[in-house]
Coordinates of all heavy atoms in Angstrom, one line a residue:
V1 N -11.5 -45.5 18.8 CA -11.9 -44.0 19.0 C -10.9 -43.5 20.1 O -11.1 -44.0 21.2 CB -13.5 -43.8 19.3 CG1 -13.5 -42.3 19.4 CG2 -14.1 -44.4 18.1
S2 N -10.2 -42.5 19.8 CA -9.3 -42.1 20.9 C -10.2 -41.2 21.9 O -11.2 -40.5 21.4 CB -8.2 -41.2 20.4 OG -8.7 -40.1 19.8
H3 N -9.7 -41.1 23.1 CA -10.4 -40.3 24.0 C -10.1 -38.8 23.9 O -9.0 -38.4 23.9 CB -10.0 -40.7 25.5 CG -10.7 -39.8 26.6 ND1 -12.0 -40.0 26.8 CD2 -10.1 -38.9 27.3 CE1 -12.3 -39.1 27.7 NE2 -11.2 -38.5 28.2
V4 N -11.2 -38.1 23.7 CA -11.0 -36.6 23.5 C -11.1 -35.9 24.8 O -12.2 -36.0 25.5 CB -12.2 -36.1 22.5 CG1 -11.9 -34.5 22.4 CG2 -12.1 -36.7 21.2
P5 N -10.0 -35.2 25.2 CA -10.1 -34.6 26.5 C -11.1 -33.5 26.6 O -11.2 -32.8 25.6 CB -8.6 -34.1 26.8 CG -7.9 -34.5 25.7 CD -8.8 -35.1 24.6
S6 N -11.8 -33.4 27.5 CA -12.7 -32.2 27.8 C -12.6 -31.6 29.1 O -11.9 -32.2 29.9 CB -14.2 -32.7 27.4 OG -14.5 -33.4 28.6
W7 N -13.2 -30.5 29.4 CA -13.1 -29.9 30.6 C -13.7 -30.8 31.7 O -13.2 -30.7 32.8 CB -13.7 -28.5 30.6 CG -15.2 -28.4 30.3 CD1 -15.8 -28.1 29.1 CD2 -16.3 -28.6 31.2 NE1 -17.2 -28.1 29.3 CE2 -17.6 -28.5 30.5 CE3 -16.3 -29.0 32.7 CZ2 -18.8 -28.6 31.2 CZ3 -17.5 -29.1 33.2 CH2 -18.7 -28.9 32.5
Q8 N -14.7 -31.7 31.4 CA -15.2 -32.6 32.3 C -14.1 -33.6 33.0 O -14.3 -33.9 34.1 CB -16.3 -33.4 31.8 CG -17.6 -32.7 31.7 CD -18.0 -32.1 30.4 OE1 -17.2 -31.9 29.5 NE2 -19.3 -31.9 30.2
D9 N -13.0 -33.7 32.2 CA -12.0 -34.5 32.8 C -11.3 -33.8 34.0 O -10.6 -34.4 34.7 CB -10.9 -34.9 31.8 CG -11.4 -35.6 30.7 OD1 -12.4 -36.5 30.9 OD2 -11.0 -35.6 29.6
Q10 N -11.4 -32.6 34.1 CA -10.8 -31.8 35.1 C -11.8 -31.6 36.3 O -11.4 -30.8 37.2 CB -10.3 -30.5 34.6 CG -9.2 -30.6 33.5 CD -8.8 -29.3 32.9 OE1 -8.5 -28.4 33.7 NE2 -8.9 -29.1 31.7
A11 N -13.0 -32.0 36.1 CA -14.1 -31.7 37.2 C -13.6 -32.1 38.5 O -13.1 -33.3 38.6 CB -15.3 -32.1 36.7
A12 N -13.7 -31.3 39.6 CA -13.3 -31.8 40.9 C -14.3 -32.8 41.3 O -14.0 -33.5 42.3 CB -13.4 -30.5 41.8
C13 N -15.6 -32.9 40.7 CA -16.5 -33.8 41.3 C -16.4 -35.3 40.5 O -17.5 -35.9 40.8 CB -17.9 -33.1 41.1 SG -18.3 -32.7 39.4
R14 N -15.6 -35.3 39.7 CA -15.6 -36.5 38.7 C -15.6 -37.8 39.5 O -16.2 -38.8 39.0 CB -14.6 -36.4 37.6 CG -13.1 -36.6 38.1 CD -12.1 -36.2 37.0 NE -10.8 -36.3 37.3 CZ -10.2 -35.4 37.9 NH1 -10.7 -34.4 38.6 NH2 -9.0 -35.5 38.3
F15 N -15.2 -37.8 40.7 CA -15.2 -39.1 41.5 C -16.0 -39.0 42.7 O -16.2 -39.8 43.5 CB -13.8 -39.5 42.0 CG -12.8 -39.6 40.8 CD1 -11.6 -38.9 40.8 CD2 -13.0 -40.6 39.8 CE1 -10.6 -39.0 39.7 CE2 -12.2 -40.7 38.8 CZ -10.9 -40.0 38.8
A16 N -16.8 -37.8 42.7 CA -17.8 -37.6 43.9 C -19.0 -38.3 43.7 O -19.3 -38.7 42.5 CB -17.9 -36.1 44.2
D17 N -19.8 -38.5 44.7 CA -21.1 -39.1 44.6 C -22.1 -38.1 44.0 O -22.3 -37.2 44.5 CB -21.5 -39.4 46.0 CG -22.9 -40.1 46.0 OD1 -23.5 -40.3 44.9 OD2 -23.5 -40.5 47.1
P18 N -22.7 -38.5 42.8 CA -23.6 -37.6 42.1 C -24.7 -37.2 43.0 O -25.3 -36.1 42.8 CB -24.0 -38.3 40.9 CG -23.1 -39.5 40.7 CD -22.5 -39.8 42.0
A19 N -25.2 -38.1 43.9 CA -26.3 -37.8 44.8 C -26.0 -36.5 45.7 O -26.9 -35.9 46.3 CB -26.5 -39.0 45.7
L20 N -24.6 -36.1 45.8 CA -24.5 -35.0 46.6 C -24.9 -33.7 45.8 O -25.2 -32.7 46.4 CB -22.9 -34.9 46.7 CG -22.3 -34.1 47.8 CD1 -22.9 -34.7 49.1 CD2 -20.7 -34.4 47.9
F21 N -24.8 -33.8 44.6 CA -25.1 -32.6 43.7 C -26.6 -32.5 43.3 O -27.1 -31.5 42.9 CB -24.3 -32.6 42.4 CG -22.8 -32.5 42.8 CD1 -22.1 -33.5 43.2 CD2 -22.2 -31.2 42.7 CE1 -20.7 -33.3 43.6 CE2 -20.8 -31.1 43.1 CZ -20.0 -32.1 43.5
H22 N -27.3 -33.6 43.2 CA -28.8 -33.7 42.9 C -29.4 -34.4 44.1 O -29.3 -35.6 44.1 CB -29.0 -34.4 41.6 CG -28.1 -34.0 40.5 ND1 -28.4 -32.8 39.7 CD2 -26.7 -34.3 40.1 CE1 -27.2 -32.7 38.8 NE2 -26.4 -33.5 39.0
G23 N -30.2 -33.8 44.8 CA -30.9 -34.4 45.9 C -32.1 -35.1 45.4 O -32.5 -35.0 44.3
P24 N -32.7 -35.9 46.3 CA -34.0 -36.6 46.0 C -35.1 -35.6 45.8 O -35.0 -34.6 46.5 CB -34.2 -37.5 47.1 CG -33.4 -36.9 48.3 CD -32.3 -36.2 47.7
D25 N -36.2 -36.0 45.1 CA -37.3 -35.1 45.0 C -37.9 -34.6 46.4 O -38.2 -33.5 46.6 CB -38.5 -35.8 44.3 CG -38.1 -36.1 42.8 OD1 -37.3 -35.3 42.4 OD2 -38.8 -36.8 42.2
E26 N -38.0 -35.6 47.4 CA -38.5 -35.3 48.6 C -37.3 -35.1 49.6 O -36.7 -36.2 49.9 CB -39.4 -36.5 49.3 CG -40.6 -36.8 48.3 CD -41.7 -35.7 48.5 OE1 -41.8 -35.1 49.5 OE2 -42.3 -35.4 47.4
E27 N -37.0 -34.0 50.0 CA -35.7 -33.7 50.8 C -36.1 -32.6 51.7 O -36.5 -31.5 51.3 CB -34.5 -33.4 49.8 CG -33.3 -33.1 50.6 CD -32.2 -32.8 49.6 OE1 -32.3 -32.0 48.6 OE2 -30.9 -33.3 49.9
D28 N -35.8 -32.9 52.8 CA -36.2 -31.8 53.8 C -35.0 -30.8 53.8 O -34.0 -31.0 53.4 CB -36.3 -32.3 55.3 CG -35.0 -32.9 55.8 OD1 -34.2 -32.2 56.3 OD2 -34.9 -34.2 55.8
E29 N -35.4 -29.5 54.3 CA -34.5 -28.4 54.1 C -33.3 -28.6 54.7 O -32.3 -28.2 54.3 CB -35.4 -27.2 54.8 CG -34.8 -25.8 54.5 CD -34.8 -25.4 53.2 OE1 -35.4 -26.0 52.3 OE2 -34.3 -24.1 53.0
R30 N -33.2 -29.2 56.0 CA -31.9 -29.3 56.6 C -31.0 -30.2 55.9 O -29.8 -29.9 55.8 CB -32.1 -29.8 58.1 CG -32.5 -28.7 59.0 CD -32.7 -29.2 60.3 NE -31.5 -29.9 60.9 CZ -31.3 -30.2 62.2 NH1 -32.3 -30.0 63.0 NH2 -30.2 -30.8 62.6
S31 N -31.4 -31.3 55.3 CA -30.7 -32.2 54.6 C -30.2 -31.6 53.3 O -29.0 -31.8 52.9 CB -31.5 -33.5 54.2 OG -32.1 -34.0 55.3
R32 N -31.1 -30.8 52.7 CA -30.7 -30.2 51.4 C -29.6 -29.1 51.6 O -28.5 -29.1 51.0 CB -31.9 -29.2 50.9 CG -31.5 -28.6 49.5 CD -32.7 -27.8 48.9 NE -33.0 -26.7 49.8 CZ -32.4 -25.6 49.9 NH1 -31.3 -25.4 49.3 NH2 -32.8 -24.6 50.8
I33 N -29.7 -28.3 52.7 CA -28.7 -27.3 53.2 C -27.3 -28.1 53.4 O -26.2 -27.6 52.9 CB -29.2 -26.4 54.3 CG1 -30.1 -25.6 53.8 CG2 -27.9 -25.7 54.9 CD1 -30.9 -24.9 54.8
R34 N -27.4 -29.1 54.1 CA -26.0 -29.9 54.4 C -25.6 -30.5 53.2 O -24.4 -30.4 52.9 CB -26.5 -31.0 55.6 CG -25.2 -31.5 56.1 CD -25.5 -32.5 57.1 NE -26.7 -32.4 57.9 CZ -27.7 -33.3 57.9 NH1 -27.6 -34.3 57.1 NH2 -28.8 -33.0 58.6
R35 N -26.4 -31.1 52.4 CA -25.8 -31.6 51.1 C -25.3 -30.6 50.2 O -24.2 -30.8 49.7 CB -27.0 -32.4 50.4 CG -26.6 -33.0 49.1 CD -27.8 -33.6 48.3 NE -29.1 -32.8 48.2 CZ -29.1 -31.8 47.2 NH1 -28.0 -31.6 46.5 NH2 -30.0 -31.0 47.1
E36 N -25.9 -29.5 50.1 CA -25.4 -28.5 49.2 C -24.1 -27.8 49.7 O -23.3 -27.5 48.9 CB -26.4 -27.4 49.0 CG -27.7 -27.9 48.1 CD -28.6 -26.9 47.8 OE1 -28.6 -25.6 48.3 OE2 -29.5 -26.8 46.7
R37 N -24.0 -27.7 50.9 CA -22.8 -27.2 51.5 C -21.6 -28.1 51.2 O -20.6 -27.7 50.9 CB -22.9 -27.1 53.0 CG -21.9 -26.2 53.7 CD -21.9 -26.1 55.2 NE -23.2 -25.7 55.7 CZ -23.8 -26.2 56.6 NH1 -23.5 -27.4 57.2 NH2 -25.0 -25.8 57.1
N38 N -21.8 -29.3 51.3 CA -20.8 -30.4 50.9 C -20.4 -30.4 49.4 O -19.3 -30.3 49.1 CB -21.3 -31.8 51.3 CG -21.1 -32.0 52.8 OD1 -20.5 -31.2 53.5 ND2 -22.1 -32.8 53.3
A39 N -21.5 -30.3 48.6 CA -21.3 -30.3 47.1 C -20.5 -28.9 46.8 O -19.5 -28.9 46.0 CB -22.6 -30.3 46.5
K40 N -20.9 -27.8 47.4 CA -20.4 -26.5 47.2 C -18.9 -26.4 47.4 O -18.0 -25.7 47.0 CB -21.1 -25.3 47.6 CG -22.4 -25.1 47.1 CD -23.3 -24.1 47.9 CE -24.5 -23.8 47.1 NZ -25.2 -22.7 47.9
A41 N -18.5 -27.0 48.6 CA -17.1 -27.3 49.0 C -16.3 -27.9 48.0 O -15.2 -27.6 47.7 CB -17.1 -27.9 50.4
I42 N -16.8 -28.9 47.3 CA -16.1 -29.6 46.2 C -16.0 -28.6 44.9 O -14.9 -28.3 44.4 CB -16.8 -30.8 45.7 CG1 -16.6 -31.8 46.8 CG2 -16.1 -31.4 44.5 CD1 -17.5 -33.2 46.5
C43 N -17.1 -27.9 44.5 CA -17.1 -26.9 43.5 C -16.0 -25.8 43.9 O -15.6 -25.2 42.9 CB -18.5 -26.2 43.3 SG -19.7 -27.4 42.8
A44 N -15.9 -25.3 45.0 CA -15.1 -24.2 45.4 C -13.7 -24.5 45.0 O -12.9 -23.5 44.6 CB -15.1 -24.0 46.9
G45 N -13.3 -25.7 44.8 CA -11.8 -26.0 44.4 C -11.8 -26.5 43.0 O -10.8 -27.1 42.6
C46 N -12.8 -26.3 42.3 CA -13.0 -26.9 40.9 C -12.5 -25.9 39.9 O -12.7 -24.7 39.8 CB -14.3 -27.2 40.6 SG -14.5 -27.9 39.0
P47 N -11.5 -26.3 39.0 CA -10.8 -25.5 38.0 C -11.7 -25.2 36.8 O -11.4 -24.4 36.1 CB -9.5 -26.3 37.6 CG -9.9 -27.7 37.9 CD -10.9 -27.8 39.0
V48 N -12.8 -26.0 36.7 CA -13.7 -25.7 35.6 C -15.1 -25.2 35.9 O -16.1 -25.5 35.2 CB -13.7 -27.1 34.6 CG1 -12.3 -27.3 34.0 CG2 -14.1 -28.2 35.5
R49 N -15.1 -24.5 37.0 CA -16.4 -23.9 37.4 C -17.2 -23.1 36.5 O -18.3 -23.2 36.2 CB -16.1 -23.1 38.6 CG -17.1 -23.0 39.7 CD -16.7 -22.4 41.0 NE -17.8 -21.8 41.7 CZ -17.8 -21.3 42.8 NH1 -16.8 -21.5 43.6 NH2 -18.9 -20.8 43.4
A50 N -16.4 -22.3 35.7 CA -17.0 -21.2 34.6 C -17.7 -22.2 33.6 O -18.7 -21.9 33.2 CB -16.0 -20.3 34.3
E51 N -16.8 -23.2 33.1 CA -17.4 -24.0 32.1 C -18.7 -24.8 32.5 O -19.7 -24.9 31.8 CB -16.4 -25.0 31.7 CG -15.2 -24.4 31.0 CD -14.1 -23.9 31.7 OE1 -14.3 -23.7 33.0 OE2 -13.0 -23.7 31.2
C52 N -18.6 -25.2 33.8 CA -19.8 -25.9 34.4 C -21.1 -25.0 34.5 O -22.1 -25.4 34.0 CB -19.3 -26.4 35.8 SG -20.6 -27.3 36.5
L53 N -20.9 -23.8 34.9 CA -21.9 -22.9 35.0 C -22.5 -22.5 33.6 O -23.8 -22.5 33.4 CB -21.5 -21.5 35.6 CG -21.8 -21.3 37.1 CD1 -21.2 -19.9 37.6 CD2 -23.3 -21.3 37.4
A54 N -21.6 -22.3 32.6 CA -22.1 -22.1 31.4 C -22.8 -23.2 30.7 O -23.9 -22.9 30.0 CB -20.8 -21.7 30.3
L55 N -22.5 -24.4 30.9 CA -23.2 -25.5 30.4 C -24.7 -25.5 31.2 O -25.6 -25.7 30.4 CB -22.5 -26.8 30.7 CG -23.1 -28.0 30.2 CD1 -23.3 -28.0 28.7 CD2 -22.4 -29.4 30.6
A56 N -24.6 -25.3 32.4 CA -25.9 -25.3 33.2 C -26.9 -24.1 32.5 O -28.1 -24.4 32.4 CB -25.7 -25.0 34.6
D57 N -26.2 -23.0 32.1 CA -27.0 -21.9 31.6 C -27.6 -22.3 30.3 O -28.7 -21.8 29.9 CB -26.2 -20.7 31.3 CG -25.8 -20.0 32.6 OD1 -26.5 -20.2 33.7 OD2 -24.8 -19.2 32.6
N58 N -27.1 -23.2 29.5 CA -27.6 -23.7 28.2 C -28.6 -24.9 28.4 O -28.9 -25.4 27.4 CB -26.4 -24.0 27.3 CG -25.6 -22.8 26.8 OD1 -26.3 -21.6 26.7 ND2 -24.3 -22.7 26.8
R59 N -28.7 -25.4 29.6 CA -29.6 -26.5 29.7 C -30.8 -26.2 30.6 O -30.5 -25.7 31.7 CB -28.8 -27.5 30.3 CG -27.7 -28.4 29.5 CD -27.0 -29.3 30.1 NE -28.0 -30.5 30.7 CZ -27.6 -31.7 30.8 NH1 -26.4 -32.1 30.6 NH2 -28.5 -32.5 31.3
R60 N -31.9 -26.3 30.0 CA -33.1 -26.0 30.8 C -33.3 -27.2 31.9 O -34.0 -26.9 32.9 CB -34.4 -26.1 29.9 CG -34.4 -24.8 29.0 CD -35.7 -24.9 28.2 NE -35.9 -23.7 27.4 CZ -36.6 -22.7 27.9 NH1 -37.0 -22.6 29.0 NH2 -36.5 -21.5 27.2
D61 N -32.7 -28.3 31.7 CA -33.1 -29.4 32.6 C -31.8 -29.5 33.8 O -31.7 -30.6 34.3 CB -33.3 -30.8 31.8 CG -31.9 -31.1 31.1 OD1 -31.1 -30.2 30.8 OD2 -31.8 -32.2 30.7
A62 N -31.2 -28.5 33.9 CA -30.0 -28.6 34.7 C -30.5 -28.4 36.1 O -30.8 -27.3 36.6 CB -29.0 -27.4 34.4
H63 N -30.6 -29.6 36.9 CA -31.1 -29.5 38.2 C -30.0 -29.7 39.2 O -28.8 -30.1 38.7 CB -32.1 -30.6 38.5 CG -33.3 -30.6 37.7 ND1 -34.1 -29.5 37.8 CD2 -33.7 -31.3 36.7 CE1 -35.2 -29.8 36.9 NE2 -34.9 -30.8 36.2
G64 N -30.1 -29.2 40.4 CA -29.0 -29.4 41.4 C -28.0 -28.4 41.4 O -28.0 -27.3 40.9
I65 N -26.7 -28.8 41.9 CA -25.7 -27.9 41.9 C -24.9 -28.0 40.8 O -24.3 -29.1 40.3 CB -24.6 -28.3 43.2 CG1 -25.5 -28.3 44.5 CG2 -23.4 -27.3 43.2 CD1 -25.7 -26.8 45.2
W66 N -24.6 -26.8 40.1 CA -23.7 -26.7 38.9 C -22.9 -25.4 39.2 O -23.5 -24.4 39.6 CB -24.4 -26.5 37.6 CG -25.4 -27.6 37.1 CD1 -26.3 -28.3 37.8 CD2 -25.0 -28.4 35.9 NE1 -26.9 -29.3 36.9 CE2 -26.0 -29.4 35.8 CE3 -24.1 -28.3 34.9 CZ2 -26.1 -30.2 34.8 CZ3 -24.2 -29.1 33.9 CH2 -25.1 -30.1 33.7
G67 N -21.5 -25.6 39.0 CA -20.7 -24.4 39.1 C -20.8 -23.7 40.5 O -20.7 -22.6 40.7
G68 N -21.1 -24.6 41.6 CA -21.2 -24.1 43.0 C -22.5 -23.4 43.3 O -22.6 -22.8 44.3
L69 N -23.4 -23.4 42.4 CA -24.7 -22.8 42.7 C -25.9 -23.8 42.5 O -25.8 -24.5 41.7 CB -24.9 -21.6 41.6 CG -23.9 -20.5 41.5 CD1 -24.1 -19.4 40.7 CD2 -23.7 -19.9 43.1
N70 N -26.8 -23.6 43.4 CA -28.1 -24.3 43.2 C -29.0 -23.7 42.3 O -28.8 -22.6 41.6 CB -28.7 -24.6 44.6 CG -29.2 -23.5 45.3 OD1 -29.5 -22.4 44.7 ND2 -29.3 -23.4 46.6
E71 N -30.2 -24.2 42.0 CA -31.1 -23.8 41.0 C -31.5 -22.3 41.2 O -31.5 -21.5 40.3 CB -32.3 -24.7 40.9 CG -31.9 -25.9 40.0 CD -33.1 -26.9 40.2 OE1 -34.2 -26.7 39.6 OE2 -32.9 -27.9 40.8
D72 N -31.9 -22.1 42.5 CA -32.3 -20.7 42.8 C -31.2 -19.7 42.5 O -31.5 -18.6 42.0 CB -32.7 -20.5 44.3 CG -34.2 -21.3 44.5 OD1 -34.8 -21.4 43.5 OD2 -34.5 -21.4 45.6
E73 N -30.0 -20.0 43.0 CA -28.9 -19.2 42.9 C -28.6 -18.9 41.4 O -28.1 -17.8 41.1 CB -27.7 -19.7 43.7 CG -27.9 -19.7 45.1 CD -27.0 -20.6 46.1 OE1 -26.3 -21.4 45.3 OE2 -26.9 -20.5 47.2
R74 N -28.7 -20.0 40.6 CA -28.5 -19.7 39.3 C -29.4 -19.0 38.6 O -29.1 -18.0 37.6 CB -28.2 -21.1 38.5 CG -26.8 -21.8 38.8 CD -26.7 -23.0 38.1 NE -27.2 -24.2 38.6 CZ -28.3 -24.7 38.1 NH1 -28.9 -24.3 37.1 NH2 -28.8 -25.9 38.8
R75 N -30.6 -19.1 38.9 CA -31.8 -18.3 38.4 C -31.5 -16.8 38.7 O -31.6 -15.9 37.9 CB -33.2 -18.7 39.0 CG -34.0 -19.4 37.9 CD -35.4 -19.5 38.4 NE -35.5 -20.1 39.6 CZ -35.6 -21.4 39.8 NH1 -35.7 -22.3 38.6 NH2 -35.8 -22.0 40.8
K76 N -31.2 -16.6 40.0 CA -30.9 -15.2 40.3 C -29.6 -14.6 39.7 O -29.7 -13.4 39.3 CB -30.6 -15.1 42.1 CG -31.6 -14.5 42.7 CD -31.4 -14.6 44.2 CE -32.4 -15.5 45.0 NZ -31.9 -15.9 46.2
R77 N -28.7 -15.4 39.5 CA -27.6 -14.9 38.9 C -27.9 -14.4 37.4 O -27.5 -13.6 36.9 CB -26.4 -16.0 38.8 CG -25.2 -15.8 37.9 CD -24.2 -16.8 37.9 NE -23.2 -16.8 37.0 CZ -23.4 -17.4 35.7 NH1 -24.6 -18.0 35.5 NH2 -22.6 -17.3 34.9
T78 N -28.7 -15.4 36.7 CA -29.1 -15.1 35.4 C -30.0 -13.7 35.3 O -29.6 -12.9 34.3 CB -30.0 -16.4 34.7 OG1 -29.2 -17.4 34.8 CG2 -30.4 -16.0 33.4
R79 N -30.8 -13.6 36.1 CA -31.5 -12.3 36.2 C -30.7 -11.2 36.4 O -30.9 -10.1 35.8 CB -32.7 -12.4 37.4 CG -33.9 -13.0 37.0 CD -35.1 -12.5 38.0 NE -34.8 -12.9 39.4 CZ -35.0 -14.0 40.0 NH1 -35.7 -14.9 39.3 NH2 -34.7 -14.2 41.2
N80 N -29.7 -11.4 37.3 CA -28.8 -10.2 37.5 C -28.0 -9.9 36.3 O -27.7 -8.6 36.0 CB -27.8 -10.4 38.7 CG -28.6 -10.4 40.0 OD1 -29.7 -9.7 40.1 ND2 -28.0 -11.0 41.0
L81 N -27.5 -10.9 35.7 CA -26.8 -10.7 34.4 C -27.6 -10.0 33.4 O -27.1 -9.0 32.7 CB -26.1 -12.0 33.8 CG -25.1 -12.6 34.6 CD1 -24.7 -14.1 34.1 CD2 -23.8 -11.7 34.6
Q82 N -28.8 -10.5 33.1 CA -29.8 -9.7 32.2 C -30.0 -8.3 32.6 O -30.0 -7.4 31.8 CB -31.0 -10.6 32.2 CG -30.8 -12.0 31.4 CD -32.0 -13.0 31.6 OE1 -33.0 -12.6 32.5 NE2 -32.2 -13.9 30.9
R83 N -30.2 -8.1 33.8 CA -30.5 -6.8 34.4 C -29.3 -5.9 34.1 O -29.3 -4.8 33.5 CB -30.7 -6.7 35.8 CG -31.4 -5.4 36.3 CD -31.9 -5.5 37.7 NE -32.7 -6.4 38.0 CZ -32.6 -7.3 39.0 NH1 -31.7 -7.2 39.9 NH2 -33.6 -8.2 39.3
A84 N -28.0 -6.3 34.2 CA -26.8 -5.6 34.0 C -26.6 -5.3 32.5 O -26.2 -4.2 32.2 CB -25.6 -6.4 34.6
A85 N -27.0 -6.3 31.8 CA -26.9 -6.1 30.2 C -27.9 -5.1 29.9 O -27.5 -4.3 29.0 CB -27.1 -7.5 29.6
R86 N -29.1 -5.1 30.4 CA -30.1 -4.1 30.0 C -29.5 -2.7 30.3 O -29.8 -1.7 29.5 CB -31.4 -4.4 30.7 CG -32.4 -5.4 29.9 CD -33.7 -5.3 30.3 NE -34.1 -5.4 31.8 CZ -34.2 -6.7 32.2 NH1 -34.0 -7.7 31.6 NH2 -34.2 -6.6 33.6
L87 N -29.0 -2.6 31.7 CA -28.5 -1.2 32.0 C -27.4 -0.7 31.2 O -27.4 0.4 30.8 CB -27.9 -1.4 33.4 CG -29.2 -1.5 34.5 CD1 -28.4 -1.8 35.9 CD2 -30.0 -0.3 34.6
Q88 N -26.6 -1.6 30.6 CA -25.5 -1.2 29.8 C -26.0 -0.9 28.4 O -25.6 0.2 27.9 CB -24.7 -2.4 29.5 CG -23.3 -2.5 30.2 CD -22.4 -3.4 29.9 OE1 -22.7 -4.4 29.3 NE2 -21.2 -3.3 30.6
V89 N -27.1 -1.5 28.0 CA -27.6 -1.0 26.7 C -28.3 0.3 26.8 O -28.2 1.2 26.0 CB -28.8 -2.0 26.2 CG1 -29.7 -1.6 25.0 CG2 -28.1 -3.4 25.8
A90 N -28.9 0.5 27.9 CA -29.7 1.8 28.3 C -28.7 3.0 28.5 O -29.0 4.2 28.2 CB -30.6 1.7 29.4
A91 N -27.4 2.7 28.9 CA -26.5 3.7 29.3 C -25.9 4.4 27.9 O -25.8 3.8 27.0 CB -25.4 3.1 30.1
Ligands
SF4_1 S1 -18.1 -26.8 39.4 FE1 -18.9 -28.2 40.9 S2 -20.5 -29.4 39.7 FE2 -19.4 -28.1 38.2 S3 -17.6 -29.7 37.4 FE3 -16.9 -28.4 39.1 S4 -17.2 -29.6 41.0 FE4 -18.5 -30.5 39.3

């Protein structure tokens, strides 16, 4: 079977420690902020950020940092996109 190239092959995090993107269940706030800052710095230079975010949007079990955003930030982004879509329909 030949290797099918996918956007994941270009992910800036492909050689990074996954623990940077998904913290432990018990994590204090300061550690989380520091860890997320380091993960987001990798995402900032990632050429497939949009694809990564889209995949997270389609997965209910997407925990941690995806596309440079943590869970709360992705939830907020989805809400804002939905609100913007509703406003467009109403206009
Ligand atoms: S956006 Fe971040 S988490 Fe997503 S593939 Fe790129 S580096 Fe990895």
Side-chain angles (χ1 to χ4, degrees):
V1 180
S2 65
H3 177 70
V4 180
S6 74
W7 62 262
Q8 275 100 341
D9 294 334
Q10 299 171 53
C13 61
R14 66 195 183 283
F15 302 122
D17 181 359
L20 206 54
F21 294 81
H22 311 271
D25 288 343
E26 301 290 326
E27 183 176 38
D28 65 75
E29 187 72 357
R30 280 183 59 169
S31 306
R32 181 184 66 76
I33 290 170
R34 194 176 329 116
R35 177 182 57 75
E36 289 191 343
R37 196 186 299 135
N38 289 332
K40 287 175 179 183
I42 295 175
C43 296
C46 181
V48 290
R49 208 170 151 170
E51 289 85 345
C52 180
L53 256 182
L55 182 61
D57 285 345
N58 288 323
R59 288 181 54 156
R60 284 178 176 277
D61 62 340
H63 299 297
I65 301 279
W66 289 68
L69 303 177
N70 67 23
E71 278 167 74
D72 282 350
E73 292 162 342
R74 280 186 280 108
R75 250 195 304 273
K76 250 179 239 161
R77 174 181 162 275
T78 302
R79 269 203 305 272
N80 287 339
L81 288 174
Q82 287 169 343
R83 194 174 303 137
R86 275 199 305 275
L87 286 174
Q88 255 183 356
V89 168

